[in-house]
Amino acid sequence: MTGVPASAAGGSSGAPGPRGSAAAADGVASEVSGSAADAAGEGVKPARGGKIAAAAVNQASIWNVANLLTMLRLLLVPGFVALMLADGGYDPAWRSLAWASFAVAMITDLFDGHLARTYNLVTDFGKIADPIADKAIMGAALICLSGLGDLPWWVTAVILGRELGITLLRFLVIRYGVIPASRGGKLKTLTQGVAVGMYVLALTGWLATLRFWVMAVAVVLTVATGLDYIRQAIVLRRQGMAERAAALEGKEA
């Protein structure tokens, strides 16, 4: 057995008393605290197990609620297409069910990104799957509507071309920075969702006329925000190239 020396406990000899034991414990605690502080100050790396534990805490699980909503949206795409095309694609009952699945997909799109950012649930899977799910449900709806003759193909081409083009543009300029989502872009997304949802429903009369104008606004916003993103990308690229050139000149000097 090992004991605490009497001199360390504050006594002269023999077994330490209660106060001596407390003092020894305080001394050990102080020594441990000091060692930890020294390790932090000198940049000593923590134990390997500590790193693994910290990574496990910081890394959000792929099965978090935000990713589950994204997965649900992906699963809704084939179901939506089946409902849209059921019984020839013109049955009001099936179209209503298709609208319900489309509405659920749009609602989950509003919540999954917000939840991921608010509760630190951002994962690599979510970064890739979320935009794919957004494009998939919107693209499926537009193609089905154009295929059934409810929506001109040029409208589908403009909307999908803009979405795919801006996504590619973001990747091309990501080395210089990130193009933030604008209010116009968010309004465009909302207007597109409302317009497409109205076309999915078998509307007649003045509601059919109204959906035409809502879609017209959505197309205008789609083109306008697309041009604005192109402008931002050009400015971002120029700034990035100028900063790189200045950095190279600084190194040479």
Side-chain angles (χ1 to χ4, degrees):
M1 295 180 63
T2 58
V4 180
S7 57
S12 58
S13 64
R19 291 184 60 186
S21 300
D26 292 340
V28 173
S30 300
E31 183 177 354
V32 172
S33 302
S35 300
D38 292 341
E42 295 175 7
V44 178
K45 295 182 178 179
R48 184 178 180 183
K51 280 187 175 182
I52 296 175
V57 171
N58 294 331
Q59 180 62 43
S61 170
I62 191 175
W63 299 107
N64 63 65
V65 63
N67 285 345
L68 290 176
L69 289 175
T70 300
M71 294 177 194
L72 173 63
R73 197 156 71 256
L74 286 170
L75 293 174
L76 283 171
V77 174
F80 166 80
V81 172
L83 292 170
M84 273 292 293
L85 302 180
D87 198 15
Y90 296 101
D91 185 274
W94 288 112
R95 293 286 285 261
S96 296
L97 292 175
W99 176 86
S101 64
F102 181 80
V104 170
M106 291 294 100
I107 292 172
T108 59
D109 181 30
L110 295 175
F111 283 103
D112 59 356
H114 175 73
L115 290 173
R117 292 186 296 270
T118 302
Y119 298 101
N120 195 25
L121 301 176
V122 178
T123 62
D124 292 336
F125 171 82
K127 294 176 183 177
I128 297 173
D130 183 65
I132 291 176
D134 298 343
K135 306 292 186 296
I137 189 65
M138 183 60 69
L142 290 169
I143 291 172
C144 285
L145 290 170
S146 293
L148 293 172
D150 294 340
L151 191 67
W153 276 106
W154 70 265
V155 174
T156 296
V158 167
I159 294 177
L160 292 185
R162 183 268 189 199
E163 297 301 329
L164 295 176
I166 295 303
T167 300
L168 178 61
L169 186 63
R170 286 177 181 272
F171 281 111
L172 290 177
V173 300
I174 197 170
R175 70 181 68 179
Y176 304 110
V178 177
I179 303 176
S182 63
R183 292 183 179 180
K186 295 177 181 178
L187 180 60
K188 177 269 306 178
T189 301
L190 177 62
T191 308
Q192 281 183 1
V194 173
V196 172
M198 293 180 72
Y199 269 87
V200 170
L201 288 171
L203 300 179
T204 58
W206 68 272
L207 288 174
T209 303
L210 176 63
R211 73 182 181 183
F212 169 83
W213 289 109
V214 175
M215 180 60 75
V217 173
V219 171
V220 171
L221 288 174
T222 297
V223 175
T225 55
L227 293 175
D228 183 61
Y229 276 122
I230 293 174
R231 179 192 63 79
Q232 291 186 58
I234 293 174
V235 172
L236 187 63
R237 182 175 180 274
R238 287 177 178 174
Q239 291 177 348
M241 293 180 66
E243 291 175 358
R244 286 190 176 186
L248 289 175
E249 291 179 358
K251 287 183 180 180
E252 292 177 355

